[in-house]
Amino acid sequence: MSDLRELYQEVILDHYRSPRNFGHHQPSNREAKGNNPLCGDKFTVYALVEDGMVKDISFEGRGCAISTASASLMTELLKGQTEQNAQAMFERFRGVVTGEQDQRLDDGLDKLNVLAGVRGYPMRVKCATLAWHTLKAALNQTDETVVTE
Amino acid sequence: MTDTASPTETAPRFDAAAIRDQFPILGTRSHGKPLTFLDSAASAQKPQAVIDAVAETYAFQYANVHRGVYELSERTSAAFEAVRGKARGLINAAHDNEIVFTSGATEGINLVAQSWGRANLGPGDEVLITEMEHHSNIVPWQLLRDEMGITLKVAPFDDHGVLIMEAFEKLLSERTKLVSVTQISNALGTVLPVREITAMAHAAGALVLVDGAQGVPHLAIDVRALDCDFYTFSGHKLYGPSGTGVLYGKADLLAHMPPWKGGGDMITSVTFEKTEFAAPPMRFEAGTPNIAGIIGMGAAMDWVAGLDQGGLAAHEDDLLAYGAACLSEIPGLRIIGTAPDKAAVISFVLNYAHPHDIGTVLDNQGVAVRTGHHCAQPVMEHFDVAATVRASFGAYSSRDDIDALVNALEIVRELLG
């Protein structure tokens, strides 16, 4: 059960129960939908991008504790970053949850280490990255719905 | 389903333990815990008899079927064709040539849509299904609709998951050409009154296809008593190999249906100008079939036939009643699908945890359940949930499995509650 406690840490449960930046923030000029057809999780991610800066991010929809907490943490951490930085942070985050990257995240991303526990649950990596893939699509202004399964 | 079972009563006498011993996988461990397998509605586990039949086919009795003049091919063909008789017996069809081998129930429905549907349906014609169909009984008709301009009608169910017969009857008209319904809902466990549905459909002049994927493992099937025109099921849910299945069709219907796949083994003669097609069922079985799989499905049918049918039905009823009673006592748990006539499936949600999170915690305790929309998204929409947790039973399931589920749900509460 100890690895389950690691997966469902208090931080994750807190962000699941009280997701930050939940609901569509106005104004926004980027948006994308993401869904995981395997479990029915669906998110819409909104962003306000000006002068290459991600000035605001919000999301709505419903998902499991892992996908919701990850979305909530993402909105907090990427707000105020440059688009370029946001993309780079996505790659680093992806590396941690897939297990491709072994070391813990630092310099501002250390909060995301709470999600590293999903690497033991390959089926759940898609939950952890759903909102991130969706934000990436929003920033790239891709029209297609993001699907992770 | 009995309404007298309670968590404290003793189980009726049915030797589930002896049955369980015949399934090697049920003796394995998952995450270091004894495997508690509660996902039989997705695919049942296989008894040693089926595993042996497949292995022995490959080891001692394998060649392509219907082709060779040599003894080995003839023996393989005979073993393969003998399964038609077993399938006919299982569902009480009149003739072996009414049994078409498929890769599963999904292919059976697609066969009817692509062969019978294309030949007999046109713009304005209606196919009537129910709100609780598996995607495999929705999408094939949508493909036909988009291509041929037919209309797809959907009969609703109520908040217990019971088909609303008055609404169903109202949707029947002279435009209805086919009624395609599941016998048991895979997501809710509801048993549909397919005999009554068939009679109503026939009175309206429509044919009936019954999706028996969930029905065959849990009910005694008599297609002649049901009087359905088509009946389809999968071998893998009946303790047989995956990639096997049966489509039953009344002989006179199959005789007039065109092929839907072209290839070898489905013709009587081919020139570049013209092909003469074989009679059913061969007409619908192009290409080399899943030979060992079909033989394994025959072994599964024999295995099922050897069970005490009355005892098995009582055992599964007991599991359903016991499971519902135990789960109902868990605070915050809601059972989705509470039809009076149910079989072998309990779907539920917890008001404090998402099914996917529940599934992960249960998995960690060795408890395998299905979480998600169960390929029945319209059912999820009806109950306004994205997903449910589904525990489903087979002949080898026991009250111990339900106790393990309940204990694991206590850990869900500790972690996520």
Side-chain angles (χ1 to χ4, degrees):
Chain A
M1 201 167 136
S2 61
D3 52 336
L4 278 179
R5 288 231 184 266
E6 196 199 322
L7 185 63
Y8 291 108
Q9 294 177 41
E10 203 45 54
V11 179
I12 288 178
L13 296 179
D14 175 49
H15 278 265
Y16 174 48
R17 291 172 186 140
S18 322
R20 322 297 196 261
N21 301 302
F22 192 75
H24 185 179
H25 288 186
Q26 303 278 9
S28 66
N29 55 10
R30 300 279 194 280
E31 87 175 65
K33 291 184 193 314
N35 73 65
N36 181 344
L38 193 70
C39 58
D41 287 0
K42 280 183 187 156
F43 287 125
T44 305
V45 174
Y46 306 93
L48 175 66
V49 179
E50 285 174 346
D51 308 325
M53 293 282 291
V54 183
K55 294 200 165 161
D56 196 10
I57 313 178
S58 58
F59 77 106
E60 58 190 15
R62 61 181 174 188
C64 62
I66 303 297
S67 62
T68 305
S70 181
S72 172
L73 284 161
M74 175 189 81
T75 61
E76 284 194 324
L77 290 171
L78 299 194
K79 197 185 281 192
Q81 298 289 333
T82 64
E83 274 191 87
Q84 210 176 1
N85 261 353
Q87 302 273 15
M89 289 163 113
F90 167 77
E91 290 306 327
R92 291 178 61 202
F93 171 68
R94 206 186 57 77
V96 165
V97 292
T98 56
E100 285 167 23
Q101 269 300 332
D102 232 4
Q103 66 263 55
R104 293 173 59 82
L105 292 166
D106 49 19
D107 54 291
L109 292 185
D110 46 317
K111 266 182 137 174
L112 293 174
N113 288 318
V114 295
L115 285 160
V118 301
R119 68 176 56 171
Y121 301 86
M123 297 293 287
R124 307 304 304 278
V125 172
K126 287 134 192 166
C127 304
T129 56
L130 177 60
W132 294 73
H133 281 291
T134 308
L135 175 68
K136 192 175 177 184
L139 294 180
N140 294 337
Q141 295 183 292
T142 310
D143 279 340
E144 280 178 31
T145 296
V146 175
V147 175
T148 64
E149 60 173 322
Chain B
M1 167 172 172
T2 58
D3 53 11
T4 49
S6 78
T8 51
E9 272 184 65
T10 52
R13 263 183 301 169
F14 175 79
D15 201 351
I19 287 174
R20 199 180 172 87
D21 286 344
Q22 298 177 49
F23 289 76
I25 209 166
L26 298 178
T28 64
R29 300 172 82 82
S30 177
H31 288 286
K33 312 260 178 12
L35 175 65
T36 299
F37 187 75
L38 288 169
D39 197 20
S40 296
S43 197
Q45 297 297 350
K46 318 306 172 196
Q48 191 65 50
V50 169
I51 297 166
D52 288 347
V54 173
E56 282 166 17
T57 297
Y58 283 127
F60 306 116
Q61 190 171 270
Y62 182 81
N64 212 331
V65 289
H66 310 139
R67 285 162 174 82
V69 294
Y70 50 96
E71 194 253 353
L72 183 59
S73 174
E74 283 174 5
R75 264 200 288 139
T76 311
S77 298
F80 179 85
E81 283 302 318
V83 181
R84 271 187 232 279
K86 298 176 201 280
R88 176 183 53 69
L90 179 76
I91 62 174
N92 198 33
H95 311 287
D96 284 7
N97 65 6
E98 293 178 317
I99 304 295
V100 181
F101 292 138
T102 65
S103 66
T106 295
E107 191 178 52
I109 296 170
N110 278 278
L111 194 166
V112 175
Q114 293 300 318
S115 169
W116 179 86
R118 279 165 175 272
N120 292 282
L121 297 176
D125 287 341
E126 293 178 2
V127 171
L128 175 56
I129 62 174
T130 79
E131 193 187 358
M132 67 182 99
E133 298 308 318
H134 187 281
H135 293 167
S136 62
N137 196 23
I138 301 173
V139 182
W141 309 114
Q142 288 175 331
L143 293 173
L144 213 56
R145 176 193 67 192
D146 296 345
E147 199 183 312
M148 305 187 64
I150 64 165
T151 303
L152 188 56
K153 295 277 185 178
V154 183
F157 59 79
D158 67 17
D159 290 344
H160 291 287
V162 176
L163 184 67
I164 304 169
M165 293 304 284
E166 300 76 29
F168 172 79
E169 191 163 21
K170 277 194 190 135
L171 286 165
L172 279 172
S173 75
E174 72 281 357
R175 290 184 302 279
T176 314
K177 294 294 182 285
L178 180 75
V179 171
S180 190
V181 293
T182 189
Q183 192 170 23
I184 296 178
S185 159
N186 73 306
L188 302 170
T190 308
V191 180
L192 278 79
V194 289
R195 190 172 181 165
E196 190 184 344
I197 285 170
T198 301
M200 289 163 70
H202 283 172
L207 297 186
V208 175
L209 164 61
V210 175
D211 171 4
Q214 300 294 338
V216 159
H218 303 295
L219 304 170
I221 310 300
D222 183 338
V223 290
R224 281 186 282 176
L226 291 175
D227 198 28
C228 57
D229 302 284
F230 300 104
Y231 188 97
T232 185
F233 64 94
S234 298
H236 74 96
K237 293 194 204 292
L238 190 70
Y239 314 102
S242 55
T244 65
V246 165
L247 173 72
Y248 156 83
K250 286 180 178 167
D252 56 334
L253 281 168
L254 293 178
H256 294 99
M257 281 162 53
W260 74 305
K261 284 180 180 173
D265 216 23
M266 52 80 77
I267 47 84
T268 52
S269 79
V270 175
T271 66
F272 285 110
E273 289 69 42
K274 188 170 169 31
T275 293
E276 299 283 340
F277 298 113
M282 304 296 284
R283 187 187 298 165
F284 306 105
E285 296 177 5
T288 296
N290 183 354
I291 298 165
I294 296 291
I295 291 171
M297 177 171 72
M301 289 169 176
D302 287 342
W303 183 82
V304 169
L307 298 177
D308 161 14
Q309 302 302 317
L312 174 62
H315 174 66
E316 291 191 354
D317 283 349
D318 172 70
L319 290 178
L320 193 61
Y322 180 75
C326 292
L327 292 173
S328 298
E329 289 180 4
I330 295 175
L333 187 146
R334 173 164 71 117
I335 291 176
I336 304 285
T338 48
D341 198 2
K342 265 185 76 164
V345 165
I346 304 179
S347 256
F348 62 91
V349 292
L350 288 175
N351 63 8
Y352 53 82
H354 187 284
H356 231 176
D357 297 311
I358 299 168
T360 292
V361 178
L362 296 184
D363 172 52
N364 192 271
Q365 301 303 308
V367 178
V369 292
R370 176 82 186 268
T371 60
H373 52 60
H374 318 296
C375 297
Q377 284 182 325
V379 173
M380 300 298 108
E381 276 172 35
H382 181 107
F383 290 100
D384 193 29
V385 294
T388 71
V389 181
R390 182 187 69 186
S392 56
F393 315 122
Y396 41 68
S397 302
S398 69
R399 285 188 173 205
D400 291 344
D401 294 329
I402 292 163
D403 293 341
L405 170 66
V406 170
N407 290 337
L409 284 169
E410 176 58 23
I411 293 173
V412 173
R413 194 193 56 74
E414 282 172 32
L415 281 166
L416 305 173

